[in-house]
Amino acid sequence: MVDNRYGGKMDDFTPQVNNHRRFSGVWRNITKPLTVSNDLSSCLVSGIGYLLGDGKSIQFWHHEWIPGMILKYSFPRIFALVTNKDAKVAKCGEFIDGVWHWSLILRRRLFNWEVTSWNGLLEIIKDFCVYNSLKDAIVWKPDSHGKKTLDRAVGRKRFGLGWLHLRKVWESWLASRVRQISSSWIRPEVGCFKFNVDGSAHGKPGPVGISGVMRDHEEAVKILFSIPIGIADSNLDELLAIREAFLLFTALQWSCSHNLVIESDSSNAVKWVNFPFVAPWAMRSFLNQIEALKSRVLNWRVVHVNREINFVVDTLAKEAALREDELIEFFK
């Protein structure tokens, strides 16, 4: 209610901090962590993460909706040239024939020396798109379950008694907007399949198995695989599981008419698939194969989930490591 009084909107993820002079002293103190640089603001700002859904609440340039990256800092020259610096993600592109296309408006044509930065930005965002059936979400990154309080994250001693009152305000705000990461599987929307994958290694290196289960919006299983790989590293098995999901999905006609979401509990594998250029050199050949497969899918998304959600494929992967033969099944 107070946020709304100072220009905030219900779909905004952060309180209004513009036109600071006309705010009351109370509101300036509440929003101070967003306008000054100290230990408290560093903890708060760095602790907030954003999960892209319909793109109506997340700001394209100011929010960390791409893991580990705030675009206005990563591409300052392009940020200086855009006409709408506060644009929401949903306003930075459109669907054309069911495919998301990014569209950023600049106030002038690029100079030759700015083209490299522009191409770098397009390369980063090209594999992301909005999902109209999902709401944007905000998460508290210091705790994967979203339950860690600011008091535990920052420590009250560092800020004295004033922090005791400010902490309550911010925890209330976080509670109203933070999505606690669900520990249960969520079915995909209509027109989309969800592939949960996992890998298991008995030793490092050791016998490796990969597994996956693909389900539709009615939770019906469409594809199941449990495959022994041989001796490999535990990081590689998770990547191979994602590759296998892409391989099986692109072999079917669904790849031309349905979207695909792949869920893995390996943060490294998810990061490498979304940002191949940060992956270790040893993984590049497998990632090149995955890159080729991506182009054959209508729309795809690879996301990280808690291990609790992946318990079915986790069991299959452990069994796969000890299997002698591949198990791949398709269901109508």
Side-chain angles (χ1 to χ4, degrees):
M1 183 172 66
V2 179
D3 187 20
N4 186 65
R5 162 70 177 79
Y6 290 106
K9 299 178 181 179
M10 286 301 294
D11 61 350
D12 285 341
F13 273 156
T14 51
Q16 178 63 246
V17 295
N18 295 326
N19 301 319
H20 213 62
R21 291 181 179 178
R22 70 180 178 85
F23 294 167
S24 70
V26 172
W27 187 243
R28 285 199 298 269
N29 283 330
I30 290 175
T31 59
K32 191 174 182 179
L34 297 179
T35 59
V36 300
S37 178
N38 57 29
D39 289 341
L40 173 55
S41 62
S42 297
C43 171
L44 183 65
V45 174
S46 64
I48 295 174
Y50 301 86
L51 301 180
L52 183 61
D54 58 18
K56 295 179 180 179
S57 298
I58 295 175
Q59 291 184 316
F60 182 90
W61 292 101
H62 301 286
H63 290 157
E64 188 187 334
W65 57 278
I66 295 178
M69 183 177 297
I70 297 177
L71 293 177
K72 69 176 179 180
Y73 299 133
S74 298
F75 300 94
R77 190 61 198 166
I78 305 303
F79 176 65
L81 294 176
V82 293
T83 57
N84 187 353
K85 292 178 170 53
D86 296 320
K88 302 294 175 60
V89 175
K91 296 296 185 180
C92 295
E94 61 180 332
F95 281 103
I96 301 176
D97 296 329
V99 179
W100 179 257
H101 293 268
W102 292 104
S103 177
L104 302 173
I105 301 175
L106 307 180
R107 55 184 174 83
R108 63 164 172 79
R109 296 183 63 178
L110 295 170
F111 294 123
N112 289 339
W113 57 273
E114 295 169 328
V115 172
T116 300
S117 181
W118 172 257
N119 290 338
L121 171 61
L122 296 182
E123 181 66 23
I124 290 292
I125 66 176
K126 70 180 179 65
D127 291 327
F128 290 85
C129 71
V130 302
Y131 297 83
N132 289 328
S133 59
L134 299 175
K135 294 293 185 182
D136 293 334
I138 184 171
V139 295
W140 182 236
K141 294 189 296 183
D143 183 356
S144 61
H145 295 281
K147 297 177 181 178
K148 189 169 187 177
T149 65
L150 287 176
D151 189 39
R152 288 169 58 196
V154 181
R156 71 181 67 182
K157 293 182 180 179
R158 199 180 307 171
F159 303 102
L161 291 176
W163 166 243
L164 296 179
H165 304 291
L166 187 58
R167 182 199 67 192
K168 294 297 183 182
V169 174
W170 275 104
E171 284 188 349
S172 175
W173 175 82
L174 283 170
S176 68
R177 285 170 166 78
V178 167
R179 174 194 291 178
Q180 293 188 3
I181 305 301
S182 172
S183 60
S184 59
W185 186 82
I186 300 175
R187 68 176 69 187
E189 64 269 24
V190 177
C192 180
F193 290 102
K194 181 173 285 188
F195 224 136
N196 287 83
V197 300
D198 196 17
S200 178
H202 293 257
K204 193 172 182 178
V208 167
I210 60 174
S211 66
V213 175
M214 190 180 84
R215 289 167 281 193
D216 63 13
H217 66 281
E218 295 180 339
E219 301 187 31
V221 175
K222 295 298 182 181
I223 303 177
L224 180 151
F225 70 84
S226 179
I227 302 174
I229 297 300
I231 305 298
D233 184 85
S234 58
N235 279 323
L236 178 60
D237 62 358
E238 303 282 358
L239 200 60
L240 293 178
I242 294 175
R243 185 189 65 171
E244 189 67 24
F246 272 113
L247 276 169
L248 294 175
F249 186 73
T250 55
L252 304 171
Q253 60 183 9
W254 287 325
S255 62
C256 299
S257 59
H258 288 68
N259 298 331
L260 175 66
V261 175
I262 298 178
E263 293 185 338
S264 168
D265 58 25
S266 169
S267 57
N268 276 338
V270 170
K271 178 176 66 175
W272 296 337
V273 171
N274 285 307
F275 307 105
F277 55 88
V278 303
W281 181 254
M283 305 294 176
R284 294 295 177 88
S285 61
F286 302 103
L287 287 166
N288 287 341
Q289 296 169 22
I290 293 174
E291 286 297 299
L293 293 169
K294 289 177 183 177
S295 63
R296 295 163 56 184
V297 180
L298 181 62
N299 280 304
W300 62 270
R301 188 181 185 189
V302 179
V303 297
H304 179 257
V305 295
N306 292 336
R307 185 171 295 275
E308 292 86 350
I309 297 177
N310 254 16
F311 73 95
V312 174
V313 287
D314 180 59
T315 301
L316 283 173
K318 291 177 180 176
E319 294 176 352
L322 304 176
R323 299 180 70 89
E324 294 183 359
D325 302 312
E326 296 184 355
L327 171 63
I328 301 177
E329 294 189 8
F330 298 88
F331 304 88
K332 292 184 179 180

